[in-house]
Amino acid sequence: MQGKFIVFEGLDGTGKTTQLQCVAQALREKGYTVHTTAEPTGNATGKLLRAFLGGKERSTPWAAASLFLADRINHNTDPDDGIMKHLSDGDIVLCDRYYYSTFAYQGTDTDLNWIFDSHFNCPEVQKPDACVFLTMPIEKCLARIHAGRDASAVEIFENTDSLTRIAKRFADVFTLLKDRETVFEIDADGSIEEITQRILSAIRPILEA
Ligand code: TYD
């Protein structure tokens, strides 16, 4: 049986990476085989993207959007460890960020419909079964981003203006996609255990379908 593909999205600092690991652990304890993964990936396209995100490589918004798509296609189709391979093995794939991030982050400075079309018309981009969208007040996101990190490790999108703009963008994107995509918006302000339980309750019907 084909596995399930669940994407975690949220502003930087919402704890989505921690939650993804907690949810993976909880599902493994229930007996599921879980594959965790993330974008940008660790392969060549992903490394180029990280150089851009860290301000070390120049790019245009259109080039960045195309690179995120290329990275995503590689991520889907890798014959050994790709998303599609794991889904065909029946695994639950939990992915930290996916195309919703490109819609929100790259959609502003390019043409959102161009980005939608290039993803939705691409047979090598798997549609998620669900997206878990973690939300939290922006001041709290920033406090978490800056705690324990020196300024040079803070990426280009990690300031108040950018986060406010991106939060609005995610909201707009999810409104536009409400008839097409399954999105669970989860309030991520609370204890780690509480949030994990909220996510598990939200995705249960998807896993049991
Ligand atoms: P990362 O170090 O993975 O941070 P996080 O733990 O917050 O996910 O960096 C991801 C950065 O890349 C984040 O600032 C958002 C950005 N990004 C895009 O702009 N577009 C995309 O399609 C993706 C996947 C990420």
Side-chain angles (χ1 to χ4, degrees):
M1 201 177 88
Q2 171 88 351
K4 300 285 187 222
F5 181 27
I6 298 176
V7 167
F8 284 55
E9 295 277 5
L11 295 187
D12 301 300
T14 45
K16 82 187 142 39
T17 309
T18 306
Q19 283 304 329
L20 186 145
Q21 293 305 334
C22 292
V23 169
Q25 181 63 29
L27 293 178
R28 287 186 184 117
E29 282 165 14
K30 289 182 200 289
Y32 290 102
T33 305
V34 182
H35 172 67
T36 62
T37 186
E39 295 191 357
T41 67
N43 69 26
T45 31
K47 287 193 181 116
L48 196 51
L49 282 165
R50 295 226 174 258
F52 153 69
L53 290 165
K56 294 186 190 75
E57 278 291 338
R58 268 190 296 183
S59 187
T60 74
W62 299 81
S66 306
L67 259 181
F68 277 110
L69 173 59
D71 191 41
R72 191 157 297 127
I73 291 174
N74 289 335
H75 192 195
N76 267 274
T77 57
D78 184 300
D80 303 318
D81 203 30
I83 294 170
M84 289 174 166
K85 155 85 170 65
H86 282 281
L87 291 174
S88 70
D89 288 348
D91 299 350
I92 294 178
V93 177
L94 303 182
C95 185
D96 190 340
R97 297 193 183 277
Y98 196 60
Y99 54 41
Y100 312 98
S101 278
T102 307
F103 303 157
Y105 287 76
Q106 279 68 49
T108 22
D109 302 327
T110 61
D111 175 342
L112 186 57
N113 282 321
W114 171 72
I115 300 187
F116 281 164
D117 289 346
S118 59
H119 280 84
F120 298 153
N121 296 334
C122 178
E124 296 188 329
V125 173
Q126 179 72 38
K127 181 183 175 188
D129 293 289
C131 169
V132 170
F133 178 51
L134 298 180
T135 60
M136 217 168 61
I138 290 187
E139 316 77 64
K140 290 202 177 176
C141 295
L142 275 171
R144 287 210 197 159
I145 291 169
H146 289 276
R149 256 212 263 173
D150 72 68
S152 67
V154 175
E155 293 185 336
I156 55 174
F157 297 122
E158 296 174 340
N159 60 63
T160 310
D161 287 354
S162 290
L163 289 184
T164 307
R165 198 166 54 93
I166 291 158
K168 162 100 176 54
R169 204 62 195 178
F170 266 120
D172 291 349
V173 160
F174 288 135
T175 302
L176 286 171
L177 297 179
K178 69 178 187 324
D179 297 330
R180 190 191 189 279
E181 305 282 311
T182 303
V183 180
F184 301 117
E185 187 171 326
I186 308 277
D187 175 2
D189 202 357
S191 74
I192 293 184
E193 297 74 21
E194 250 165 33
I195 312 305
T196 306
Q197 286 311 318
R198 279 181 207 162
I199 299 171
L200 288 169
S201 318
I203 64 175
R204 188 168 303 125
I206 303 282
L207 300 182
E208 290 170 358

